[in-house]
Every structure is written in C-alpha cells, then in structure tokens.
Amino acid sequence: MPGCGGISPVLRWAHGALPAVTETEYGRRRRLLRPRGRNVAWVPPLLLLVVIVLLDLNTTERFRIITWIVLVPGSAAAICGVWTTAVFAVLAVVTYIGVDSAWPGQYQAGLGDFVLVALGGLMATVASGVRVRKEQRALHIQDIAETTRRTVLRPLPPHWAGLEQAGVYLAADVEARVGGDFYDIQPGPHGTRVLVGDVQGKGLGAVETAAALLGTFREAGYHEKDLATVAERLEIRMLRHRSHTTALGRADGDRFATAVLIAFPEDALDTIEIVNFGHEAPLAVGSRGVRELPSGDGVPLGLADLVGGVPPVRRVPLAADETLLLVTDGVTEARDRTGAFYPLAREIAPAGAGSTGAEPGGTGPGALVRRVRDGVLRHSGGRLGDDTTAFAVRRIRAVEGEEREGGRLRS
C-alpha cells in the first residue's frame, strides 16, 4: 500500500575506504519494513484485523472482542503513512459493522462501540500525520547537518597524493550529527600535509571553527615550505576567528581546538614531521606492533600565547609498512557500563601482530579504522558521549616499478 514506511534511511557517514556506518531509528525501521525493497508495513495491521475478526466469529457471545479492531488503525499509525492509516480506519469501521451485524441483536456490541472504533480511527489518522510530519522535519534537519559536515569534511579519494587513507566520523548527537571533529589531506609542492583535530564544543559554532581552520590549512599547507609556518598560520587563524566571534557578542569567544599537523616529506620516505597541538598522540601500527609517537607538550590552537609560541616540529621515523592512526578523544574516552575507557592501543595490537612484512593485512587504513569504529561502538554499547573520529593514513608503496602519485599510477 502506498504511504507506508516512506521515511528514507539516514546514515552517519564515512569516506575513504569505508562504507556508511550506522543507521538511525528511521533507517532501521525502513529496513525492517522494506525487505528486498518491497513495502510490507501494511502487513501487521492487516494481520491484526484478520485475527480479531476470526476470534470474534469463532468464540461465544461471552467473549466479544470486535471492539479491539480499534487497534488496527492505531498500529498502522505507528508504521504507515497517513493515507494508509486512513484506509485502515475506514476498513476497521466497515469490518466492525459487518461482523457485529452477523450476531443476533441481543449480542451485538452496539452504537457505543461503533463510535469508539470510528473515533479511534480518526485519531489514529491524525496521529499518523503528526508523526510523518515530525519525521520529515527531523530528516530535513539531518540533511542540512549532513550537507554542512560534507562541506567542511570534503570527500577524500582513498588513494591521493601518495597516501592511502580512510576515515570515519560518528556523531554523539544522532539527530543533528554536527560536531567539531575534522581531518584533511593537502598535497603541494613541498610534500603532502595531513591535519586532524577536534574543536571544543559541539553544534554549528564548532563546525564554523573547524571550517575556518581547514580553509587555512588547505592554503598554507600548499604554499608554505616549512611546517612550522603552517602551524603558525593555524594559530593565527584560530585567534582571528575567536576575535571575530567575540565581536559578534557570542558566548563561545574563548573556543580552542586540539590538532595534529603532519607532513610527509618527499625527500625522506621513512620520516614524518609532526606538530601536536595538545591532541591525542598518533599511533604507528605495523608488523612490529603498535607504538605511540611523541606527542610533545604543545597546547591547543588558540592558547599559544600562554606558553610563548606554537609547539615545535618533531621529526620521527615511520617505517614503510606502518600506518599512522589518529583519533579524537571521543575514541579514547569512550566508556563501557562500568566506566572503563576504551583501550585503543590494546584493541588494535592484534592488527599489527597479525601482519607480515610482505602484506600489512589488518594494518591498512581501512582495516584499522573499521576495527576502531567497531570496537568503540561495541565498548560503549552504541552510546557515544562525544563525537568520535578515527583517521588512518600511510604512504602508498611502489608497485612493480610504478609509483602512485596524486592518486594515479604513473610509469
């Protein structure tokens, strides 16, 4: 029947090498009511109607349950569209009249119950309309939020600028799905740069701050030769954004952001450069296990004036078979029912232990991010206390004399 289960599924999303992640309540309901793409939402109310009629006709006059038919449009209101609910309301009234009239006069339910069934069908139709309108509005808000996030977190090719990457974002607020986690890759004449960060707070203000920082990173990451200069540009942009926010009279003028800025130099394939702005320390995962890279003692973006400058650039080794895993605190601070934090390093250790020198296997970006995503959801029981982001990246290896450059194979 038309109009049943007409709410499209909404997914919290990922890009890179990962599929979409988890469905919302609307998506789960739609999947259950549309097996193989066929709408079966009308089946439960119809079965309920048939069961009530058969019971009423096959029991004695002491057990008249035809009035229960008011449950039919009520159940349709919960899972079907407005017009389908209205059809069931009319069908319930007609069936009530037919079945009740089949009994002798002294055993008929009468006018009072007829009015109950009619009013119940009318109220169910109205309730269905309210439910559908509310769901459509919620989906519209989710679409706006999703568009906002996709504008900030631009889609990244899984192989780009000499790097293989995968990332996933899980919002603590399933309905709005807007937060301040961000990541990006920027190739340029001075090598490829990566930025992962987490803006303090949630909502559109956090997304606005993330957009400002990403815009600066994309420009400075391309043009500036020294990573320290890129770091200074990010700090200045954060201060300017806070100044503008304060001038507007908004209450979030003291917002800051943690971040990790990484450079993959073209002249040193076994080394990376890192500037850590008070963020979670990156993890290197490879055939030799999991190791935490030096995080330094840097302060978040926007707070450099408290310590006299931005954090220093650190050069650290990164083997060819190692994947760099970066997460936000939504991962490391995810709690189970006992309050225990998610043990990130311990959870991903088997990936490194099971890999070989020839083929990293479970240490690839896609496999690592999937492991983190599934582990966090399992550990927290799906109850996320904060926006959660995992981003993994590694250099693309040479393949039989060819090397990948800019996401394409070049001889």
Side-chain angles (χ1 to χ4, degrees), residues 190 193 195 209 211-242 259 261 275 277 301-302 304 309-311 313:
H190 309 295
R193 275 76 185 264
L195 179 67
T209 303
L213 292 173
L214 285 173
T216 297
F217 165 71
R218 289 161 186 164
E219 290 300 313
Y222 180 87
H223 291 288
E224 300 296 344
K225 180 178 180 180
D226 297 326
L227 194 65
T229 305
V230 180
E232 291 173 359
R233 292 277 299 274
L234 289 172
E235 174 69 18
I236 294 172
R237 186 67 184 96
M238 188 69 197
L239 295 176
R240 290 173 55 202
H241 180 75
R242 286 170 51 181
L261 177 63
V275 179
F277 295 92
L301 287 165
V310 298
V313 177

Side-chain angles (χ1 to χ4, degrees), residues 73 76 81-91 121 124-125 128:
V82 179
W83 287 108
T84 304
T85 304
V87 168
F88 275 113
V90 173
L91 185 60
T125 303
S128 177

Side-chain angles (χ1 to χ4, degrees), residues 1-9 26-35 37-43 75-85 128 131-132 135-136 139:
M1 288 186 181
C4 294
I7 300 300
S8 60
Y26 306 143
R28 286 192 296 270
R29 181 167 61 195
R30 177 180 172 87
R31 176 169 51 81
L32 291 173
L33 297 177
R34 296 183 67 90
R38 295 182 178 180
N39 195 338
V40 297
W42 54 271
V43 173
S75 62
I79 59 178
C80 294
V82 179
W83 287 108
T84 304
T85 304
S128 177
R131 191 208 87 230
V132 170
E135 290 182 351
Q136 288 175 341
L139 288 177

Side-chain angles (χ1 to χ4, degrees), residues 35-114:
R36 299 182 180 179
R38 295 182 178 180
N39 195 338
V40 297
W42 54 271
V43 173
L46 184 61
L47 290 177
L48 179 61
L49 184 146
V50 172
V51 169
I52 292 174
V53 170
L54 291 177
L55 285 175
D56 189 79
L57 293 176
N58 289 278
T59 54
T60 67
E61 66 278 2
R62 296 182 179 181
F63 190 70
R64 294 296 313 283
I65 66 167
I66 190 59
T67 309
W68 293 12
I69 206 169
V70 72
L71 298 175
V72 172
S75 62
I79 59 178
C80 294
V82 179
W83 287 108
T84 304
T85 304
V87 168
F88 275 113
V90 173
L91 185 60
V93 171
V94 173
T95 304
Y96 172 85
I97 295 173
V99 174
D100 197 45
S101 299
W103 285 84
Q106 67 270 31
Y107 301 126
Q108 292 180 5
L111 179 62
D113 288 345
F114 168 79

